[in-house]
Amino acid sequence: AQKITQTQPGMFVQEKEAVTLDCTYDTSDPSYGLFWYKQPSSGEMIFLIYQGSYDQQNATEGRYSLNFQKARKSANLVISASQLGDSAMYFCAMRAPLLTGANSKLTFGKGITLSVRP
Amino acid sequence: SAVISQKPSRDICQRGTSLTIQCQVDSQVTMMFWYRQQPGQSLTLIATANQGSEATYESGFVIDKFPISRPNLTFSTLTVSNMSPEDSSIYLCSVEGTSGRYNEQFFGPGTRLTVL
């Protein structure tokens, strides 16, 4: 069974600083994908970044980067130069095995609330 | 990326009634997924909808409570039947992307349901 763990309580960061949101995972599948989503108060789920288990390099998308440590089964999201608009709930999710179709559902962590202070 | 719309965006319903939520995608997709997010909680998959066949439900969810239709490759509906206050949640439709570079999964804006 797949499991995603996000244990940090609410996180606070000063505007323009960097922040790391933790995510650990557990799966027995060698092929898997890790996703991060942002959910503002409006409720929509915004895709941020993806890391495949076989990707050689850590994923980056603009101000978002993923610190992927496969041996430790962690996939922490790093947000650089925080902005007020980054205040939201952040979810880590995993798809394992990495297949499209009916068996490729996402398993989500509980989420982390990030608040950016001006 | 896929553009997904949902109707209604929010609703307040009375106990015992039913609500049908619509999900429209701007491109043809094989699988559509319905998730539920209860207040302050994470997302839980309700079912997977494949065009032309019965939806596949996750443990804890049944067709009588959450009937799903998938009449074509761009549209699906989820009905929340005989509602109770415990059904108050955000319901999200989701589809896989087709970029080819990596697997993506996109979500609609959600339907915020309150049951009184």
Side-chain angles (χ1 to χ4, degrees), chain A:
Chain A
Q2 290 76 38
K3 186 177 180 181
I4 294 285
T5 302
Q6 296 179 267
T7 58
Q8 290 168 305
M11 292 287 289
F12 295 87
V13 65
Q14 206 68 30
E15 193 178 10
K16 300 182 183 178
E17 292 185 351
V19 62
T20 297
L21 305 181
D22 295 342
C23 172
T24 59
Y25 61 91
D26 189 26
T27 180
S28 58
D29 290 295
S31 174
Y32 53 88
L34 296 156
F35 302 73
W36 276 92
Y37 288 88
K38 170 184 176 182
Q39 188 179 44
S41 58
S42 58
E44 61 185 313
M45 293 290 285
I46 303 169
F47 168 73
L48 296 178
I49 197 167
Y50 167 87
Q51 179 83 46
S53 59
Y54 292 124
D55 291 346
Q56 294 298 310
Q57 297 190 348
N58 287 349
T60 61
E61 293 285 349
R63 294 187 298 112
Y64 304 107
S65 61
L66 207 151
N67 183 4
F68 181 47
Q69 298 188 41
K70 195 170 181 178
R72 298 176 67 176
K73 294 190 173 181
S74 73
N76 299 338
L77 176 70
V78 180
I79 305 174
S80 63
S82 296
Q83 302 172 356
L84 296 178
D86 293 335
S87 294
M89 193 80 163
Y90 288 80
F91 290 94
C92 179
M94 176 171 63
R95 175 181 290 146
L98 195 59
L99 299 170
T100 57
N103 294 324
S104 62
K105 67 177 182 181
L106 286 177
T107 300
F108 284 84
K110 293 183 179 296
I112 303 168
T113 301
L114 176 65
S115 299
V116 181
R117 292 169 169 156

